Amino acid sequence: MTILMASNLWKSIGGRNILKGVDLKLDKGDMYTLVGGNGVGKTTLVKCIVGLYKPDNGKVIINGVDVTETPPSKRGLGVVLQGTPLLPLKNVYEHISFPLVSEGNNTNHKELVVDIADKLGITNLLYKKITELSGGERQKVAIATALVRRPKILVLDEPFSNLDIEYRMMLYQLLLDLRSEGITIILVSHIIDDIIYISDKIGIMYDGKIIESGPPEELLKGASNYYTQLILREPFTSIIYIRNGYSPFFIDDGKLTNGHKYVAIINYKDIYVYRDAAGEGEIIDIISRDGDEIAIVRLRNGDIIYASVNRSVSKGDKVSIKKVSEFSLRRVD
């Protein structure tokens, strides 16, 4: 049964088309992940689905009802968006119970709040002040707040950021349990191994469109698009889009023609990071793969890249980036 459909969605921001006729159809219980480089339209699509953006053209339909003009609070979705601050409430308990209180839910709030806090392992935080929470704790509280009213559709934009691998594994299992109960889940994530582990379907976004979609095992075996093959078969490869001759870090500007659009395809082994208080990036996580330590770095312009760790660095460090070997740079317009 189709529970969510986006039909021919177009959205421009600042005079630039971000979405270019996106179509998406999800059934009850789907675990669907949007994958793609920075700036391809993933978050814009999610914001159109949840109602934070109104598309310039096209429709969003939930349970057979056109909700394109419906405000976010009336769409019945559980939502966690990347970078959205928590509400300035007294404590974690009040924050998690806020959706129940605001919609006039007369059920036992405490029972529901304690139940979801227990599932997420944050009962010890319930009476902690919001201002005292770490980044990872804030992420957990945001997820609990989205889940507390048991929505039929859950939308999670980069839900695994700021979480260590042990907690991510626990969250994976919770999401799989929710899926088995018929809850439809839309994910945006840059952690490719995670996506393949938990997703029923993957949608590859490029230049404002979903260019390929299907079960991960099918795409791994027979992806028809180059970018799909790159993203799924070369984990921890960064895809950085460069426009108008602007280079976000160490790419040789001499190779670029001003006014054209390029894509740099960079494996984590091509670059490394080192601690630098004046650096152009910040480490948001460090993970291990086949004996390598890999830093996930957010650049000043918001791009996320993967890099090898050359020196002793930690999560939260400001870093600079150095090139180890040549990487692919292609003109794409």
Side-chain angles (χ1 to χ4, degrees):
M1 180 183 75
T2 300
I3 192 169
L4 185 146
M5 184 168 64
S7 176
N8 192 34
L9 291 186
W10 288 77
K11 180 64 181 176
S12 63
I13 299 175
R16 184 168 71 90
N17 285 327
I18 307 299
L19 300 182
K20 303 176 182 179
V22 174
D23 292 308
L24 176 65
K25 183 179 178 182
L26 300 182
D27 294 330
K28 181 179 179 181
D30 277 348
M31 179 91 76
Y32 185 92
T33 303
L34 286 168
V35 188
N38 294 289
V40 299
K42 301 187 302 295
T43 296
T44 300
L45 174 57
V46 164
K47 288 184 176 181
C48 286
I49 290 171
V50 304
L52 293 178
Y53 285 165
K54 180 182 176 182
D56 302 326
N57 192 36
K59 295 180 179 181
V60 177
I61 298 171
I62 297 175
N63 281 323
V65 178
D66 185 346
V67 297
T68 311
E69 304 285 343
T70 304
S73 61
K74 302 297 183 180
R75 297 194 181 194
L77 307 177
V79 181
V80 177
L81 296 180
Q82 185 180 23
T84 302
L86 297 182
L87 299 171
L89 298 172
K90 180 180 178 181
N91 56 35
V92 169
Y93 179 92
E94 287 193 1
H95 197 283
I96 297 175
S97 64
F98 181 79
L100 302 172
V101 174
S102 62
E103 66 184 15
N105 189 320
N106 294 320
T107 56
N108 189 331
H109 294 173
K110 185 173 183 179
E111 182 178 335
L112 293 173
V113 171
V114 171
D115 178 63
I116 194 61
D118 182 60
K119 288 180 178 177
L120 288 169
I122 58 171
T123 52
N124 61 313
L125 300 179
L126 283 177
Y127 297 100
K128 195 171 184 178
K129 294 180 180 178
I130 299 295
T131 54
E132 296 174 348
L133 300 176
S134 67
E137 289 171 340
R138 287 172 179 266
Q139 186 76 352
K140 296 171 187 178
V141 171
I143 293 169
T145 305
L147 289 173
V148 71
R149 58 180 179 173
R150 308 289 290 179
K152 293 182 179 178
I153 302 174
L154 184 61
V155 182
L156 304 173
D157 186 3
E158 296 290 358
F160 308 124
S161 62
N162 296 316
L163 302 177
D164 59 38
I165 184 60
E166 290 81 9
Y167 196 86
R168 289 207 303 268
M169 293 300 292
M170 186 275 289
L171 184 56
Y172 299 160
Q173 189 57 56
L174 176 60
L175 293 178
L176 291 170
D177 291 344
L178 293 172
R179 181 190 65 181
S180 68
E181 296 172 11
I183 294 177
T184 301
I185 301 171
I186 306 173
L187 292 170
V188 176
S189 181
H190 63 272
I191 304 176
I192 302 301
D193 286 5
D194 298 347
I195 293 164
I196 293 171
Y197 175 69
I198 64 174
S199 300
D200 297 313
K201 301 175 184 176
I202 297 174
I204 307 297
M205 286 202 73
Y206 173 71
D207 196 26
K209 301 176 183 178
I210 297 177
I211 60 172
E212 197 159 10
S213 183
E217 60 273 15
E218 290 184 9
L219 295 183
L220 283 167
K221 292 178 181 177
S224 60
N225 187 277
Y226 169 78
Y227 291 100
T228 303
Q229 295 172 15
L230 174 72
I231 289 170
L232 297 184
R233 296 183 183 181
E234 294 290 340
F236 306 110
T237 293
S238 309
I239 302 177
I240 303 296
Y241 295 90
I242 305 163
R243 295 178 178 87
N244 299 321
Y246 166 68
S247 174
F249 45 109
F250 52 84
I251 296 171
D252 182 4
D253 289 338
K255 296 181 179 180
L256 309 179
T257 301
N258 193 35
H260 293 290
K261 183 167 65 174
Y262 295 80
V263 60
I265 302 169
I266 310 166
N267 188 265
Y268 75 94
K269 294 180 180 180
D270 295 332
I271 54 178
Y272 71 85
V273 295
Y274 61 92
R275 188 182 291 112
D276 181 359
E280 61 264 39
E282 178 182 349
I283 295 178
I284 60 174
D285 203 357
I286 296 177
I287 54 182
S288 297
R289 178 181 175 84
D290 299 330
D292 291 339
E293 294 292 304
I294 303 170
I296 303 174
V297 182
R298 180 179 290 115
L299 302 178
R300 287 175 180 168
N301 67 349
D303 283 347
I304 291 176
I305 65 168
Y306 305 104
S308 56
V309 177
N310 186 265
R311 302 180 185 178
S312 178
V313 292
S314 303
K315 182 177 175 180
D317 283 350
K318 296 288 185 181
V319 292
S320 282
I321 302 156
K322 292 294 183 182
K323 181 166 63 174
V324 176
S325 56
E326 293 299 322
F327 46 79
S328 175
L329 183 64
R330 301 184 177 199
R331 181 172 160 182
V332 291
D333 62 356

